[in-house]
């Protein structure tokens, strides 16, 4: 079984992002970048499936600028066998990424695609669902447990108020949630080995995909600062403020 794992290069989750002075977006100049944490979980899960004998090859894919090769090398250090970079300088929105992944899936013919449920930069939570729709494959989102058996994937999903277990036929698309696993620490020997693994670079035009943005970001602003708290002398005063000022009761 071949597994395709899309990974995205994002601002590191430890970095406090800052909005550009002209409000056109987030300032990423000289900012530490890393693999999207949900995608890191996806790579780890694919690696565990291979270690368990359920998969034979893991192909990591990234769409974006040339620096995404670093993200792919990290994925290969975790356990991916090879990487594919779809190099594009333009902004890639979820639908464009889903179309690129669909074209690669048609070429690579994987039996399973595992990706993070969302990226921590745009929080769209759309690519996996769009990809499944374009491919016509079953999907299981927000996975907290994945079991492959008898040509099916039994996936435990995190839903509002509990867990849901679904069984889907392969090939399929699975998106990962935080509680699926704990990604391993990437060791130096594996980092060195990853430098020798195959990494192919293609362009969207090579795949016959138009990645022209369909959405336009009008303005990006920081959230409003919280006002300072107030100490009230008694309960009646608190109720009065909640009713008259906060207007929540």
């Amino acid at each position: 079984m071949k597994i395709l794992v899309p990974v995205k290069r994002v601002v590191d989750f430890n970095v406090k992002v800052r909005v550009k002075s002209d409000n056109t977006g987030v300032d990423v100049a000289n900012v530490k970048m890393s693999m999207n944490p949900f995608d890191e979980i996806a790579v780890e899960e694919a690696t565990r499936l291979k270690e368990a004998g359920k998969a034979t090859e893991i192909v990591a894919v990234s769409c974006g600028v040339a620096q995404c090769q670093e993200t792919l090398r990290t994925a290969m250090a975790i356990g991916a066998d090879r990487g594919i970079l779809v190099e594009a300088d333009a902004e890639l929105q979820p639908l464009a990424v889903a179309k690129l992944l669909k074209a690669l899936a048609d070429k690579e013919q994987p039996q399973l695609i595992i990706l993070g449920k969302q990226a921590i930069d745009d929080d769209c939570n759309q690519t996996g669902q769009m990809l499944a729709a374009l491919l016509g494959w079953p999907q299981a989102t927000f996975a907290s447990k994945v079991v492959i058996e008898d040509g099916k994937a039994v996936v435990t999903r995190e839903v509002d108020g509990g867990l849901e277990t679904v069984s889907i036929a392969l090939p399929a698309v699975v998106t990962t949630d935080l509680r699926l696993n704990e990604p391993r620490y990437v060791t130096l020997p594996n980092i060195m080995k990853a430098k020798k693994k195959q990494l192919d670079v293609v362009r969207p035009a090579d795949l016959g995909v138009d990645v022209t943005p369909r959405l336009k970001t009008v303005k990006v602003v920081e959230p409003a600062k919280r006002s300072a708290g107030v100490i009230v002398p008694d309960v009646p005063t608190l109720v009065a403020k909640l009713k008259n000022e906060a207007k929540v009761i």
Side-chain angles (χ1 to χ4, degrees):
M1 180 176 74
K2 181 188 291 187
I3 302 178
L4 196 70
V5 186
V7 295
K8 186 177 183 181
R9 179 176 181 263
V10 299
V11 175
D12 189 87
F13 68 92
N14 288 313
V15 174
K16 178 177 173 57
V17 296
R18 288 182 169 80
V19 176
K20 292 180 180 179
S21 57
D22 58 0
N23 297 118
T24 57
V26 173
D27 187 4
V28 295
N30 301 315
V31 171
K32 181 183 178 184
M33 308 291 283
S34 62
M35 187 189 302
N36 179 48
F38 291 102
D39 295 337
E40 193 173 2
I41 292 170
V43 178
E44 173 66 25
E45 189 65 20
T47 303
R48 292 187 184 188
L49 288 172
K50 184 181 178 183
E51 291 172 345
K54 301 294 185 181
T56 54
E57 185 183 22
I58 301 170
V59 182
V61 180
S62 189
C63 305
V65 294
Q67 290 87 337
C68 290
Q69 292 188 32
E70 301 170 9
T71 308
L72 287 171
R73 293 295 179 192
T74 301
M76 288 188 280
I78 294 174
D81 297 294
R82 58 188 174 93
I84 301 173
L85 170 62
V86 183
E87 188 175 342
D89 298 323
E91 176 194 1
L92 294 177
Q93 295 175 351
L95 181 58
V97 175
K99 288 181 177 180
L100 291 171
L101 294 176
K102 195 262 185 186
L104 286 173
D106 290 340
K107 179 180 178 182
E108 293 288 337
Q109 294 294 308
Q111 284 71 54
L112 183 64
I113 300 178
I114 306 179
L115 66 160
K117 69 173 184 178
Q118 65 192 69
I120 62 171
D121 53 0
D122 56 21
D123 278 332
C124 281
N125 181 21
Q126 296 174 342
T127 305
Q129 292 89 328
M130 288 178 170
L131 175 59
L134 290 172
L135 288 168
W137 290 5
Q139 61 176 302
T141 54
F142 318 135
S144 61
K145 184 179 179 181
V146 178
V147 178
I148 305 296
E149 54 185 17
D150 301 325
K152 295 182 178 180
V154 179
V155 180
T156 301
R157 303 180 60 239
E158 298 202 8
V159 297
D160 292 340
L163 299 174
E164 177 185 60
T165 301
V166 296
S167 177
I168 54 177
L170 299 179
V173 176
V174 174
T175 69
T176 63
D177 215 326
L178 281 175
R179 277 164 284 277
L180 179 58
N181 62 52
E182 182 71 31
R184 68 192 66 190
Y185 178 76
V186 181
T187 61
L188 182 59
N190 286 335
I191 293 174
M192 300 306 293
K193 290 177 184 176
K195 292 182 178 181
K196 299 180 181 179
K197 291 183 179 180
Q198 179 183 346
L199 198 161
D200 300 319
V201 179
V202 297
R203 304 287 298 185
D206 300 331
L207 300 173
V209 177
D210 179 14
V211 296
T212 304
R214 294 167 175 258
L215 305 174
K216 180 181 178 182
T217 301
V218 178
K219 190 177 183 181
V220 177
V221 296
E222 292 187 8
K225 289 182 171 57
R226 295 179 62 181
S227 57
V230 178
I231 298 176
V232 294
D234 49 40
V235 173
T237 306
L238 172 62
V239 173
K241 285 184 174 293
L242 291 174
K243 183 177 182 180
N244 301 323
E245 295 181 19
K247 300 187 185 300
V248 294
I249 59 174

